Amino acid sequence: MQRTLWALLLVLILGRANAEALDDGCASSLEQIQWLSEHYAPYNFVGEQGKPTGMTTEILLTLFKRLGAKVDAESIVFLPWARSYRTIQIRPDHGLFSTTITLQREKLFTFVGPIVPITVALIAKRDKQLRISSVEDMNDLRIGTVKDDIGEQLLLEAGVNPQVIQRTSYADNLVIQLIRGRLDAIAYASQPTFYYMNQLGDKASDYELIHVFSEGQMGVAFHPATDPLAIACLQEALNQLKAEGGVEAVINRYIGELPQSE
């Protein structure tokens, strides 16, 4: 964190003194990073044309272009979440998005963000009329998660019995299992869940958030040994895009009205 703060200070100072040389340094540093992601619509996913897209993807590609970095959508490697999450813990110059920012993860990674909002909750079919008032209530359910996802982590932190958790590696499979009644609920982010439901022809209005674990923000997580100049440049460019309303405009195009908690 200290290295990144010094790099950000350098960005602010040199940005006035020698903008051209700084831009070259930012671009070069960003081009050395391996960008990792997962299929996590509407944040980041591969679209119908086989090209990476999504809220966070669009925002990052805009930042790369502004900074003159030759990083395009095809440079992004899509992997199952658990594999990507392990990779950034052991490999410098690797960045993973979209990653929920938590106090625990800030001890492990360096973040650029926040970029986009996220609500992590227990989601169930409305007609089941499930109500949660304690951990014991959760232990009576078949709960699905994506392995190593924030939803699973928050379930375990809440003290839920690991034996009631049914894990999968892919979010779309998780939602399909909920739709087909193989799970009572899933612990996952509401935005991706209802996006997948719409894609699968199901109605988001038929589901509800029966328990909200957290409402937070997501960003890009980096191995802490990643070049601090790249991180500082990206953060500064993000701050500028936010101030111009560019980030909000992208988010509004992707997120419609979503069911709320009862």
Side-chain angles (χ1 to χ4, degrees), residues 18 22 31 35 72 107 112 118 178 191 200 203 230 234 244:
N18 194 343
L22 179 61
E31 290 165 6
W35 303 93
D72 55 23
K107 297 175 183 178
V112 166
I118 183 172
L178 178 64
Q191 294 88 344
L200 293 166
K203 296 180 180 179
L234 197 61
E244 297 165 7

Side-chain angles (χ1 to χ4, degrees), residues 182-207:
R182 295 174 182 170
L183 297 168
D184 297 312
I186 61 174
Y188 204 59
S190 62
Q191 294 88 344
T193 296
F194 295 120
Y195 177 89
Y196 282 121
M197 286 177 178
N198 288 333
Q199 296 297 304
L200 293 166
D202 223 28
K203 296 180 180 179
S205 59
D206 290 339
Y207 298 80

Side-chain angles (χ1 to χ4, degrees), residues 101-173:
I101 302 170
T102 66
L103 291 175
Q104 179 184 5
R105 287 177 173 176
E106 286 183 312
K107 297 175 183 178
L108 299 174
F109 311 116
T110 300
F111 278 91
V112 166
I115 301 177
V116 289
I118 183 172
T119 299
V120 181
L122 272 183
I123 303 166
K125 288 186 176 180
R126 191 176 295 275
D127 61 13
K128 281 184 172 288
Q129 298 184 339
L130 298 175
R131 295 295 177 262
I132 300 298
S133 59
S134 66
V135 173
E136 286 70 25
D137 292 335
M138 298 185 203
N139 284 335
D140 290 334
L141 304 177
R142 295 169 300 167
I143 302 175
T145 67
V146 171
K147 185 179 179 181
D148 288 338
D149 177 71
I150 187 65
E152 178 178 292
Q153 293 176 0
L154 290 174
L155 270 182
L156 295 173
E157 288 176 14
V160 172
N161 185 346
Q163 293 184 349
V164 309
I165 300 174
Q166 298 183 27
R167 298 169 175 84
T168 183
S169 295
Y170 297 99
D172 54 351
N173 183 50

